[in-house]
Amino acid sequence: MSRYPDLCLNPKECVCQEMGTVDPSIFWTLLFKGAFYGMKKREVGEKYCLSGHPTLPCNVLKFKSTTIMLDCGLDMNSTLNFLPLPLVQSPRLSNLPGWSLKDGNAFLDKELKECSGHVFVDSVPEFCLPETELIDLSTVDVILISNYHCMMALPYITEHTGFTGTVYATEPSVQIGRLLMEELVNFIERVPKAQSASLWKNKDIQRLLPSPLKDAVEVSTWRRCYTMQEVNSALSKIQLVGYSQKIELFGAVQVTPLSSGYALGSSNWIIQSHYEKVSYVSGSSLLTTHPQPMDQASLKNSDVLILTGLTQIPTANPDSMVGEFCSNLALTVRNGGNVLVPCYPSGVIYDLLECLYQYIDSAGLSSIPFYFISPVANSSLEFSQIFAEWLCHNKQTKVYLPEPPFPHAELIQTNKLKHYPSIHGDFSNDFRQPCVVFTGHPSLRFGDVVHFMELWGKSSLNTVIFTEPDFSYLEALAPYQPLAMKCIYCPIDTRLNFIQVSKLLKEVQPLHVVCPEQYTQPPPAQSHRIDLMIDCQPPAMSYRRAEVLALPFKRRYEKIEIMPELADSLVPMEIKPGVSLATVSAVLHTKDNKHILQPPPRPAQPTGGKKRKRASDDIPDCKVLKPLLSGSIPVEQFVQTLEKHGFSDIKVEDTAKGHIVLLQEAETLIQIEEDSTHIICDNDEMLRVRLRDLVLKFLQKF
Amino acid sequence: MDPECSRLLPALCAVLADPRQPVADDTCLEKLLDWFTAVTEAGSSLLLLQENPCLVELLFHVLKSQDLSSRILSFSLRLAGIFAAQEDCFQYLQQGELLPMLFGEVGPLGGAAWTAPAVRSGWIQGLRTLAQHPSALHFLAACGAVDTIFSLQGDPSLFVASAAGQLLVHILDLAMRGPAEGRRSPQACDWPACAQKIVGHIEDSLCSTAIPQVTQALSVLTTAFGHCHGLWTQGLWVRLSPLVARLLEKDPVPASHSLVDLLLSVARSAPSSDRGLWETLAQTLSHLSPTQAGPLALGILKLQDCFIHRLPKDKRDSWSSPAQSRAGFILRTCSAAFCHLPSGLTLWILGHPVPQALRTQAFGILLQPLACVLEAAAQAPGPPGLLEGAAADSMMVDTLLSSKSACVGLLCCALAHLGLLQPLPQRPSPWPQAPLLGAAVTTLRLCSGSAAPTSDVGGRLCAILVGCGRVQRAALDFLGALSQGTGPQELVTQVFSVLLEYLVSPESSSMVLKKAFQATLRWLLSSPKTPGCCDLDPHTQLFLRELLPVLQKRLCSPCWEVRDSGLEFLTQMTRHWGGQAGFRQALLASEVPELTKQLLRDPESYVRASAVTATGQLSSWGLCATPASPECPGAQQESLLVELLHILSTDSEGFPRRAVMQVFTEWLRDGHADVAEDAERFVAGVLQAASRDLDWEVRAQGLELALVFLEQLLGQRSSHCPYAVALPETAPPGVLDQALQVLCRVQLFEFAFRALFDCDRPVAQKSCDLLLFLRAKAAPCGSSQEAGDSPNVASVEATLQRWQAGEQGQPLGYLEPGAVVALLRSIDLEGLRDTLAESSDHVEKSPQSLLQDMLAAVGVLGENEADCY
């Protein structure tokens, strides 16, 4: 406890809990209950869920008069409904038959194409945005970004909703986020598509379409990709922050990013007022990969812990998957086949390259070329080497040697790994097979990967290995059917699994956990796996897209500072050991969410003259305060006193809350409870006053 | 004792008694004690002491000296014990009051030296050796040693505490084995006072509320019943069993592990048809927690096996294993039946029928955890009596679900116990093979998360077990053990499918995978052949088709343990099925042979070694990578031979080189086509490479290969049985001359002679055996050239002498067959063999050398003094 006395005020009583000698010159900390001065008790937290995707979250937290957006992930699963955008003219894709209704009506055949029993929209791919209707996004004060994957919807929010606030993110998140956005824009813009399909989105028509188009939600809100200009504008609104940096929001709330261990610069956030603490855990990892380890200790003592971004593949251990990846890669290449790895240009690819660096020599694959093709490949590989302060300890120490922290530098030096902005240009000169190609996009709908799928899909010698867990590999492959090449699914997701979450929650012990509804039940396909859900007490509160959740904590206390001169004037009276009381008369001054008790204006001196009263001289209408009482009434002594004063025939009954003293002769009841005493007598005011005075003898007044 | 030792002894005793001359090496003292033990066993201790008074002086001196090291004190106590083991010597020492001073309260017992555990240990061991005769018993009683031993049972040093317990048992046994043993009744009233005292102490301890004391008492009793076979043990059990039974009334049962040990020890030793014992066992089984009851249950079920093996050794040796298995059969079927076996054996069997009810109860306890698993994971209520008598009870379910560690521990124990029981002849019958198979499969599925239990208990079990490597390993071992029995086809299919699931799963750890490979191999090899067809059955064929792609992937694993297990599995499978058309077809259609060959260059030496063995095996069956092209048959094989030779001469690690030598030996023995083509060149090349090898196992294996070659040239060695009468089988002269020519050309003799003087004894021994074999074949019949005829024999002998002296740089040069024969005759191979057969320290092992060493170490022997000047 603080060494300063905590004053707990309510309209009836004022108790000073004295912890030692008080230095009145120090500001006293006052806690006062919400009801004081008519202040309404209300929830301080509300959470608006704008995204249903547990790993691409977008939530808005209203907390203490601030509106904070937590992440703005972009769900790209919508693109799986579209045909791939081929870099090179693909006769196969362009010759796909149009789709017609069962009755033969072919009015949609320009928009929808059929491939191996699946129907795809033949148009520029579109993305499913976070909810924009649930809350007026122009009222959002700040956006907190937890990692570069969770900021892909930023341009939509900052450029199209009237947002005027600030975005907070770490430097690697911004730089790598920029690369991801740049790559996305580049992938889409370099294959201009004249056609933009919209007819199928008509609700009446959508109903007639086959699954999964029929079941796609809110297709009317799907939007085309943003432009580079919008990206730049959005990124210009970001303010860079470092781990553990404390950022004040309007004096009411303090936010702090903490390392989350998942990716370069990835963060969890602490959002706290003086008496409430909300932790936002998003995309965290306890594995030792390249980023700085997760800071768990700072998450302790949270009132609410919002938990998102757990692993999407809880049954797959990342280590096993890396082993599987290597085995399959080696097997394919040894048989003369090529390996295609659809991936993002940053993140797991660094770890994969590191594993391969160790593995290729032992597997006799030193002569096999590795190609990394992305418009941002070069920047990504170089950026990874310069963010030393954001790396794990081992890699940081390498920097001081000095050595490049990631071994892919050596792979590049020795020409084992080559990178190109696209398949055009130098790549076509250097290309030799068998080889391993890392390229985007993992959805297989745009990017250079489309070309390789078309090129290598016909041979069973080749293998495509899916390592990114964001997309269903079966759906990703649907427009490439029939496919001869082998497909291996090795999702590598280093984010927390349920065992780790369980340990984390035991460690940090939040009062309440809030999480997406997907985490509160076993996965639908494995309903018996009760180990694949969050198990905590009290049970986690869940939310789903477009839902508003009242966060389960009550606003109980507010911090009020007391001016030194006012504090000086207080005269605490010890009413029992360790507890002192003082009455305070003051003016409460509130500005910028800061409250200060100031001395009341002095009462106007009685003057003889008829000086005009000024408004500021108005004295608050202070009534004469009745003395405050404290103490308790010992029943036995009280009865003895009554007897001394001539009352006889006294009976005492015990009740749940205290005692009833019954004066049978006088037909009077005295109800003594912990915090009140009632005298009930029949129209005998004299008697009541007599009894009251006897009661008051046992209490202290001040 | 030889005179030289007698001469050295006074000096040694003086050194030992001198605190300024610390004996550096404890092992010297141990060797000295061993020597005195041997000397006293061979002759009279009394005489020894009389002839060497310095020994008694040493003991007296030790008592007087205050600053002697604890190890010398401990040594002296043990030495005194050795001398006093003979009654006349005991009396002699008693006359001098030496023994009470050493072992009584006036001795080290009361002094500061007692704080050293070595002294307490020496005191106990001294008494243990001493207590061999009735006089010793009186002495123990008189000097109050027994009370001290009681207190030492709780000694902080575990060695001392354990030795104290054993000493108590020894004293008890000695007291009860008196001259009156035969007449000693089981009733305790006429037991000697010493025995009464010890038993009284045990009784007190059993009634104690302090668990350590109960444990001590139980462990003393366990030792007593395990080591003492006198009839008195029956009486002891009669007297103490009520107290033991009373322990069972407590909750929780104190010292349950020790209690289980005791009961099993009693059950193994008691020649009783005592119902009480079986009742106590039954009661114990039901009182102990499921985790504690498991070992007892297993012990009970194994009991009959112990009886067979507890036959007196001479009888056991005289009965071949069919007799034993017949006895086992009788035990299983009708334990009380009369059978036509020697009376002793019959008596044993008849005397020990474990009641069927008890066996059923015990088996039920082992089965229960698995019954719970089966019941919890059942989609619908299973067929009645799935595991008869082992319906999952609520206590077991509670234990299983109480915590992960409890659940894992219980399941692993149950699986291990049942796995141990499975191959025993006295395992319960009928053996519930099918439900056990089902339980093992279900456990594995729960661990992998592929089971989908609908019940609440099943769901919780699944959450506890999923991904648990320990249970996976135990269940796979058990599943492998169950391959010895049969099961319904449906279950066998499930077994293969769960094994495949584990082999495929990336989540299987390397250890789990190894176990999965082992279990798969066992099941594959036990799968039935199609009647009337020598090839694999269709199910196995189908399984193989799924298995090989998995194996392919595993051979590319980044984890070397996985690659290694994969190769071992492949080797075993090929060894058994290399001739099966179905297997050959499936294997050749896969990339496994090619991958295996690539692993010859693996960075991990263990993997390279396994790859060598695997390719060797594949090649033996003509299954090596890429069939030879029609234009150049054998080219591929030859390249493998060259590659293996390359490994033999260049690999930096020993394992792959040893593996190559084993493969080559096997190839030569089996007449591998490419070896047989030019065996002479092959052997010459291999021996040349092996002779330069720094690893003695490679050189030894080279001799093995040489021997195989010799046998192929000259015929098999005679029977290895030392008692078999064999006529000398010499090779006909023509054949011999030719063979000797060949052996000279491949430079086998140079290799063998070099090995004869190898600094590693096993190599030299092997070479000696080989040359003796050769001499037996070649020398008796004489040769066209007699010994000494050859001009280069003398120079060869000279070279060999230099080799023997350690100068092996000089080559032997080309040897003529005649010279070889002459050499074989001239070298004293038998003598060499005898020398080699002795342990390496035989020269230094004599007591005299020990005494000299000890004296030299402290500089008493004169020669070291010269160094001072």
Side-chain angles (χ1 to χ4, degrees), chain B residues 12 15-16 21-33 69-72 75 78 841 844 849-858:
Chain B
L12 181 78
V15 166
L16 293 175
Q21 305 273 16
V23 179
D25 189 0
D26 257 354
T27 52
C28 290
L29 296 177
E30 291 295 328
K31 284 180 187 169
L32 212 52
L33 286 172
S69 74
S70 56
R71 60 171 97 168
I72 296 294
F75 165 80
R78 292 169 65 188
D841 66 345
E844 290 79 23
S849 130
L850 172 68
L851 300 182
Q852 278 170 342
D853 280 351
M854 290 180 75
L855 290 172
V858 290

Side-chain angles (χ1 to χ4, degrees), chain A residues 67 69 136-143 154 156-168 233-234 236-239 250:
Chain A
T67 307
M69 179 179 274
D136 178 2
L137 293 178
S138 68
T139 63
V140 170
D141 297 313
V142 291
I143 301 178
L154 198 61
Y156 295 115
I157 309 285
T158 59
E159 307 309 302
H160 298 285
T161 61
F163 171 80
T164 55
T166 312
V167 184
Y168 290 102
S233 171
S236 71
K237 296 183 172 70
I238 297 182
Q239 194 167 322
F250 317 112

